[in-house]
Amino acid sequence: MEEKILIRHAAISDIPLVVDLWQEHQEYHAALEPWFERSENPNPGFQQYLEEHLDDLGLFVAEVDKSLVGFILGEIASRPPCFAERKYGMIDDLAVTAAWRGKGIGKKLLTAMSAWFKENDIHRIETRLLLANPLAGRFWQAAGFTAYMNNVYREV
Ligand SMILES: CC(C)(COP(=O)(O)OP(=O)(O)OC[C@H]1O[C@@H](n2cnc3c(N)ncnc32)[C@H](O)[C@@H]1OP(=O)(O)O)[C@@H](O)C(=O)NCCC(=O)NCCS
């Protein structure tokens, strides 16, 4: 039997489980790129941030059989007054736990997030992705996102 995937706004009681999913997501990134190595104990600070700002954030979760298997986090970001367009949607995190990938959950979370941005009169959305992350490149390209800037770095 096919499991029913429910996409919904996160409630405050979901936040500890979102933080667990975020940790898995961060560890995945840190394994690909040492710059994303986590600090000593980042979870309580992130939990507090989500709890305090939940009303202003776009935070959606994917639930299967009463378990949370993925989330997406977005915010309405502002640009300086020198730009004609001041507001845009920034997707900060998208993660589906490893066992549930490839079943369309990421796509469903992005659909909910996009609708939330539109409801808030935001018509351009952006995200950042790690070039070393093969999953992200394919996902965002399939979702119609186009690269328009590169982050470059060097050690000094
Ligand atoms: C990226 C991620 C969120 C995608 O979630 P998902 O639920 O597995 O993705 P979906 O099943 O909705 O896939 C949507 C589309 O993305 C592409 N895609 C996703 N995973 C893919 C893979 N492993 N190989 C090829 N294409 C893939 C496909 O085009 C797919 O559409 P299709 O199934 O109709 O072909 C998930 O892989 C993940 O959590 N990865 C670790 C964290 C991460 O990389 N987050 C993104 C941060 S920028």
Side-chain angles (χ1 to χ4, degrees):
M1 197 180 79
E2 205 169 290
E3 296 87 352
K4 188 160 175 354
I5 299 159
L6 173 68
I7 307 292
R8 59 173 175 78
H9 275 285
I12 201 132
S13 56
D14 294 319
I15 289 178
L17 293 170
V18 168
V19 173
D20 289 347
L21 291 167
W22 174 76
Q23 179 173 344
E24 179 187 343
H25 171 58
Q26 282 211 317
E27 286 170 350
Y28 175 74
H29 275 101
L32 294 169
E33 165 56 64
W35 183 242
F36 290 101
E37 195 178 319
R38 285 159 51 88
S39 60
E40 192 65 41
N41 184 21
N43 289 10
F46 186 57
Q47 178 164 336
Q48 187 181 352
Y49 166 77
L50 293 180
E51 286 168 354
E52 287 177 3
H53 297 278
L54 187 58
D55 290 347
D56 301 323
L57 294 168
L59 180 58
F60 292 86
V61 291
E63 184 182 314
V64 179
D65 212 10
K66 296 197 169 24
S67 296
L68 293 197
V69 299
F71 77 100
I72 190 165
L73 172 64
E75 62 183 304
I76 297 171
S78 293
R79 304 165 81 206
C82 59
F83 293 109
E85 290 287 337
R86 298 286 307 282
K87 297 216 178 290
Y88 66 103
M90 174 54 86
I91 299 174
D92 296 317
D93 290 299
L94 166 65
V96 175
T97 192
W100 285 91
R101 290 180 194 154
K103 296 175 189 295
I105 295 175
K107 214 180 330 191
K108 286 186 165 73
L109 285 164
L110 179 59
T111 300
M113 186 86 258
S114 304
W116 181 82
F117 280 127
K118 279 191 200 161
E119 281 160 24
N120 283 282
D121 207 27
I122 297 292
H123 300 285
R124 176 188 170 108
I125 53 178
E126 298 192 5
T127 192
R128 295 191 196 95
L129 61 110
L130 193 55
L131 295 179
N133 178 350
L135 299 172
R138 292 180 197 139
F139 178 85
W140 294 110
Q141 193 179 18
F145 283 67
T146 305
Y148 77 100
M149 264 178 102
N150 266 347
N151 272 14
V152 294
Y153 83 99
R154 60 169 276 205
E155 306 285 352
V156 287

